[in-house]
Amino acid sequence: MVFWPTAIFDKDAFLDTIEQYLTERLRPNCVILIMRDVIFNTVREQLKEDPYIRARLSETPLKIVGYNKNGDRSKSEDLFQDHPSEVDMESFKRAAIIHIFTQHQGFVEATKVYHFENPSKRHSSKFIRLANILRRAEEISFLAFCCLPFFTDRTKVVYVDTSSLHLIVFAILEQLRSFDSSLTLFPINFESYFSLSEGEFNFQYAAESIVLLSASTSGGLAKRLMTDYQFDSNQIVQFLYLGKNEPETNVVCNLTKNGDFGFEPIFAREAADCEYCKRYSIPIPILSDQFVFAGPQQSPLKIIEANQHEDSKNFWECATGNQALSIVFPSDSSDSCTTHFFIDLTKLLEEDSFRKRLDYLLARSFPARARLIVTTQEDTGHIAEYIQKHIGGKTRVSKINDLKQKEIDINGDAPVVVVADAVESGISLQDLSRRLRKISDKAPLIYFIGVSKSSGDKSRENLRSTLTFAAGPAKHIYEVVHSVRLPRSSKDNSWSQERQLIMNPEFSGIIEKSMRPYFDKRKEILASSKPCLNELFVPNLPEGRMQLQPGFAFWKGLEKSASSEADVFFTIASVLQNIRALGKSDEPHPKPAIRSNWLQQTLIDPTTFSRFNDPIIQACFLRAASAFEQNYSADEELSLSMANIVLDALSRASSEPAGSASEFLLALITKRLQLSENSIDKIKKASVNQDSITGAFHSYLRTAL
């Protein structure tokens, strides 16, 4: 069946279509050409007189069918030979529309981590977007032809629920005018539920109009138009319908599955009964009459003890309270990014719990035939030296710059032990692995890692699968003493931003004379590029140093007589990274997750800063959370909540030398924390002692923001 889309017949184009079809497919039983009846006679004469089409079709009947302005078959004739079959026009229309819908992906489908909130406020896993299928002019003309039976001479206005339907309306008008040049149609977009919900739209031409709706799964919009605006059911035409109930109005194409043809109904549920929400899938609102996704949906997340990963709890037991953890401030002299989460393995090896885990892994996996331990050039070699002593000095330690094919003998299939103190990206280990395999692809490799600092399970497993891949009968062995989730190291972090601020002449120009020695010293600390246990945060007064109060929620059950600022920062950074890792997974999780993408944006709930009110913990959250996770500027309520927490810290700044007021102001200045203009104005008006670190930041805040 061939639909001719225009009021001018192009015989050559039609013959090309037939030729292409016959080249690609089997010869059909019949060819049926559907057209407007105003060109019926012209088409008949052209085709009858053409010897090529008659010879090419051979014994295949050719039937031409003309339709009138109501879309009804008005003329029909068999050319060359009779064909007794009648044209089932309705079945043809439905089949063709479903084909167009499928070909152009009329459904917009969700993933496992988000679903849709329809304009009706009901939730579903997919929705129909008419604009997706309005791509080709000839298909739009056909869709307009399918609408003709619902238009009468009285129809002057067409109300549509989306501007995408303007294309259909103008295509309908083009066809109607080929039958009667005096006919007119005027489309008016009432923007679906969006205008109706505000009560702003007045259907003033209702008596001489029809309402053309793009798509529906329930008929809810049609019912509302009939109930609230007194439209008759015959005045409403739903272009596409896909639902479990029979529609109460006219429908151009019912997509609902009938036999083996069509689609299963889309089940939309109220928010309170949404199965996707119960699986922690995020509802994404569909906005405007174009049915587009809303921008990033912000949702606050409260940080609680349960957000911690089990592996991390075991790590804190041996890594905190013994100066094993420190932060390395980024250096401007190097383009490379040295990890700023530094772990001192000499301190960990002093802990019984760490050594017991390492000894167990050695007893389980260290091969008796191994005579060689290899480390990367960057590795400090503490674990390698411990292993060498532990197994009785039967092996030798070889650095990677000594690892040359001519100088090293692996003894064919003798196992090689690869050791690393701490691994973040694992690039050096992968390079070492490639070199070893070039020397001997038969030698088993056994990896012993002190601490794996991965950003999530996916990156950790990718590294593991790469290193353990082997051409032999079994995989290589990969053992890790402790794993902890931490963000990837970056030169652009809170300390590099702080350093840039302090070095800014505009900032140094407003500092009180009494505060200059502190900021001069602070510049030296930030430029040192050495592991730093304390002095990570900025107090309110120079003599202040933030300390952790007993009962830290994330160290519950761990007795720590002393802890460093780095210990606390590592912990908070790990907690946040654990929640981010859940958000990056393709699978929904029973635990809340941080998601940062163009659909979803998780914010740290301001109540987190009230729940964890130790200044050092607040400072850790401000520096460990990303700017996306602390951007409250678009939500006035959340912004004011956060502003009140800042104002409370400012009110106690003079009496709390080790308070967090300076850290809040620093986060605002560097844009790691963003609030609404109204909230910023309140903070600017606060009374602050200018002869203090807090005062210096407050003075700059008033001029810079």
Side-chain angles (χ1 to χ4, degrees):
M1 299 185 77
V2 181
F3 174 78
W4 194 257
T6 68
I8 300 175
F9 184 66
D10 185 339
K11 182 180 69 174
D12 292 336
F14 173 70
L15 295 180
D16 289 343
T17 301
I18 296 297
E19 184 63 39
Q20 181 179 354
Y21 183 92
L22 294 176
T23 301
E24 298 174 354
R25 299 175 177 86
L26 296 174
R27 184 177 297 277
N29 293 328
C30 180
V31 175
I32 301 174
L33 174 61
I34 302 172
M35 75 208 76
R36 307 173 200 187
D37 62 12
V38 292
I39 62 171
F40 184 88
N41 293 336
T42 301
V43 173
R44 179 185 58 194
E45 296 306 317
Q46 288 188 36
L47 294 180
K48 269 189 172 183
E49 295 175 358
D50 192 285
Y52 174 82
I53 185 65
R54 189 164 190 170
R56 192 71 180 89
L57 289 176
S58 184
E59 297 180 357
T60 301
L62 173 62
K63 181 187 288 287
I64 60 174
V65 176
Y67 64 87
N68 58 24
K69 66 180 180 180
N70 298 319
D72 298 327
R73 181 173 54 227
S74 56
K75 296 180 179 181
S76 178
E77 184 173 331
D78 295 326
L79 302 183
F80 312 144
Q81 56 259 13
D82 293 338
H83 184 71
S85 299
E86 289 296 327
V87 180
D88 185 350
M89 196 70 78
E90 293 308 311
S91 296
F92 167 58
K93 291 177 182 177
R94 182 170 184 265
I97 293 176
I98 290 178
H99 172 74
I100 294 170
F101 184 89
T102 303
Q103 187 179 43
H104 297 318
Q105 300 177 332
F107 286 125
V108 178
E109 302 198 43
T111 69
K112 292 183 179 180
V113 297
Y114 69 86
H115 60 285
F116 304 113
E117 180 186 282
N118 297 325
S120 62
K121 302 304 179 183
R122 292 163 65 86
H123 292 202
S124 66
S125 63
K126 59 183 176 181
F127 70 95
I128 299 169
R129 189 168 186 263
L130 181 66
N132 285 12
I133 71 173
L134 302 180
R135 298 187 183 185
R136 300 175 57 190
E138 56 269 32
E139 291 173 346
I140 294 172
S141 181
F142 173 77
L143 297 175
F145 154 67
C146 296
C147 296
L148 291 179
F150 308 106
F151 286 75
T152 68
D153 292 344
R154 292 183 54 206
T155 305
K156 306 299 180 187
V157 173
V158 184
Y159 290 108
V160 297
D161 65 339
T162 168
S163 58
S164 298
L165 279 170
H166 286 171
L167 291 171
I168 299 291
V169 174
F170 289 131
I172 293 170
L173 179 59
E174 185 274 328
Q175 295 205 36
L176 290 176
R177 283 188 169 177
S178 66
F179 298 104
D180 183 349
S181 60
S182 66
L183 295 176
T184 61
L185 286 177
F186 187 72
I188 300 177
N189 180 15
F190 69 91
E191 298 181 341
S192 188
Y193 286 94
F194 307 105
S195 291
L196 300 187
S197 60
E198 302 295 330
E200 298 176 349
F201 200 85
N202 178 19
F203 294 91
Q204 58 180 320
Y205 306 109
E208 51 185 354
S209 70
I210 68 167
V211 181
L212 185 60
L213 304 179
S214 55
S216 177
T217 59
S218 64
L221 182 56
K223 292 176 183 177
R224 183 166 179 180
L225 290 169
M226 290 187 287
T227 302
D228 296 350
Y229 297 91
Q230 287 73 54
F231 277 100
D232 187 86
S233 61
N234 288 327
Q235 286 183 279
I236 299 176
V237 180
Q238 297 187 109
F239 193 85
L240 299 174
Y241 179 80
L242 179 59
K244 58 182 180 179
N245 300 319
E246 285 296 317
E248 300 179 11
T249 62
N250 298 313
V251 173
V252 176
C253 181
N254 192 334
L255 299 173
T256 309
K257 192 170 186 178
N258 183 3
D260 295 330
F261 201 52
F263 307 96
E264 294 293 339
I266 298 175
F267 291 98
R269 294 176 171 84
E270 299 297 333
D273 191 40
C274 176
E275 61 178 293
Y276 310 108
C277 288
K278 293 176 182 177
R279 295 202 296 263
Y280 296 94
S281 172
I282 304 296
I284 305 300
I286 307 303
L287 300 181
S288 85
D289 64 300
Q290 290 294 305
F291 302 99
V292 295
F293 296 168
Q297 301 302 292
Q298 292 187 320
S299 57
L301 174 65
K302 294 180 181 179
I303 308 299
I304 58 176
E305 295 88 334
N307 295 137
Q308 188 165 199
H309 195 273
E310 284 298 325
D311 288 349
S312 301
K313 293 180 181 179
N314 296 327
F315 181 66
W316 306 139
E317 182 180 0
C318 67
T320 55
N322 56 10
Q323 300 184 347
L325 308 179
S326 56
I327 298 298
V328 178
F329 301 133
S331 171
D332 290 338
S333 61
S334 175
D335 293 332
S336 62
C337 177
T338 303
T339 177
H340 66 270
F341 290 100
F342 181 75
I343 301 174
D344 187 343
L345 266 294
T346 61
K347 301 296 184 181
L348 291 186
L349 286 166
E350 294 173 359
E351 297 292 325
D352 288 342
S353 61
F354 185 87
R355 291 198 308 273
K356 285 179 181 179
R357 290 174 69 97
L358 176 55
D359 291 348
Y360 176 82
L361 296 178
L362 291 172
R364 182 176 71 178
S365 301
F366 194 92
R369 293 180 58 207
R371 295 294 180 269
L372 179 65
I373 295 176
V374 181
T375 65
T376 65
Q377 189 173 19
E378 299 86 356
D379 198 76
T380 53
H382 298 304
I383 298 289
E385 292 172 6
Y386 177 86
I387 293 175
Q388 189 177 25
K389 294 177 182 178
H390 181 83
I391 62 175
K394 296 180 180 179
T395 64
R396 67 182 187 276
V397 176
S398 176
K399 292 288 186 180
I400 192 170
N401 55 354
D402 297 323
L403 189 60
K404 298 178 181 178
Q405 190 166 352
K406 294 180 180 179
E407 299 176 4
I408 192 166
D409 181 13
I410 294 183
N411 295 327
D413 61 352
V416 177
V417 177
V418 181
V419 179
D421 284 351
V423 171
E424 185 168 326
S425 66
I427 294 175
S428 296
L429 273 184
Q430 293 178 57
D431 181 57
L432 176 57
S433 174
R434 284 190 292 270
R435 295 192 185 194
L436 286 171
R437 294 180 200 206
K438 285 182 180 180
I439 295 172
S440 174
D441 59 358
K442 296 179 181 179
L445 302 180
I446 298 87
Y447 296 89
F448 285 95
I449 311 300
V451 180
S452 172
K453 302 182 295 180
S454 61
S455 59
D457 290 342
K458 185 178 293 186
S459 59
R460 183 185 305 170
E461 289 308 312
N462 286 342
L463 177 61
R464 178 191 292 272
S465 62
T466 300
L467 295 178
T468 58
F469 175 79
K475 291 183 176 181
H476 298 307
I477 295 174
Y478 185 86
E479 300 282 19
V480 177
V481 183
H482 275 295
S483 295
V484 60
R485 283 178 173 172
L486 289 168
R488 292 188 182 277
S489 297
S490 170
K491 289 188 69 173
D492 183 23
N493 54 46
S494 65
W495 290 283
S496 63
Q497 293 165 356
E498 179 190 351
R499 185 181 176 202
Q500 290 172 10
L501 172 66
I502 294 175
M503 294 178 66
N504 185 343
E506 293 182 3
F507 177 78
S508 58
I510 57 94
I511 298 174
E512 294 288 334
K513 186 177 180 180
S514 60
M515 290 296 106
R516 288 176 185 172
Y518 170 81
F519 284 105
D520 289 340
K521 181 182 177 182
R522 186 66 181 164
K523 279 190 286 187
E524 293 178 6
I525 293 172
L526 294 175
S528 66
S529 300
K530 295 179 180 179
C532 186
L533 295 169
N534 296 301
E535 296 183 304
L536 299 183
F537 309 116
V538 182
N540 296 338
L541 296 172
E543 63 270 20
R545 187 205 155 195
M546 298 181 188
Q547 292 182 325
L548 186 66
Q549 300 300 313
F552 186 31
F554 296 107
W555 293 349
K556 190 173 290 184
L558 302 179
E559 295 297 331
K560 297 295 175 183
S561 58
S563 63
S564 68
E565 292 179 7
D567 290 342
V568 186
F569 181 77
F570 260 74
T571 304
I572 297 301
S574 177
V575 168
L576 291 176
Q577 187 58 35
N578 179 54
I579 316 175
R580 293 188 194 108
L582 296 179
K584 291 182 179 179
S585 172
D586 294 333
E587 298 294 330
H589 286 271
K591 294 181 180 179
I594 290 178
R595 296 181 173 90
S596 298
N597 54 56
W598 73 285
L599 289 176
Q600 307 150 60
Q601 184 59 61
T602 306
L603 300 174
I604 306 300
D605 195 310
T607 59
T608 300
F609 291 89
S610 301
R611 179 182 177 85
F612 299 99
N613 55 12
D614 275 19
I616 188 173
I617 302 177
Q618 292 179 335
C620 287
F621 274 115
L622 289 168
R623 289 186 182 260
S626 74
F628 293 111
E629 295 157 3
Q630 299 181 103
N631 186 353
Y632 307 95
S633 59
D635 190 312
E636 193 65 39
E637 183 177 351
L638 291 176
S639 181
L640 288 173
S641 296
M642 198 68 210
N644 288 333
I645 294 171
V646 177
L647 290 169
D648 180 62
L650 288 174
S651 69
R652 293 181 282 107
S654 297
S655 59
E656 291 186 355
S660 57
S662 293
E663 282 289 327
F664 278 112
L665 295 179
L666 177 60
L668 285 168
I669 292 169
T670 58
K671 305 294 186 182
R672 294 189 70 83
L673 172 63
Q674 297 187 62
L675 305 179
S676 67
E677 291 185 8
N678 184 35
S679 298
I680 293 292
D681 287 341
K682 288 188 175 184
I683 294 171
K684 286 180 178 180
K685 294 175 183 177
S687 177
V688 177
N689 174 19
Q690 298 303 304
D691 191 16
S692 64
I693 301 170
T694 306
F697 287 131
H698 191 256
S699 295
Y700 187 77
L701 177 74
R702 287 187 297 177
T703 59
L705 294 187

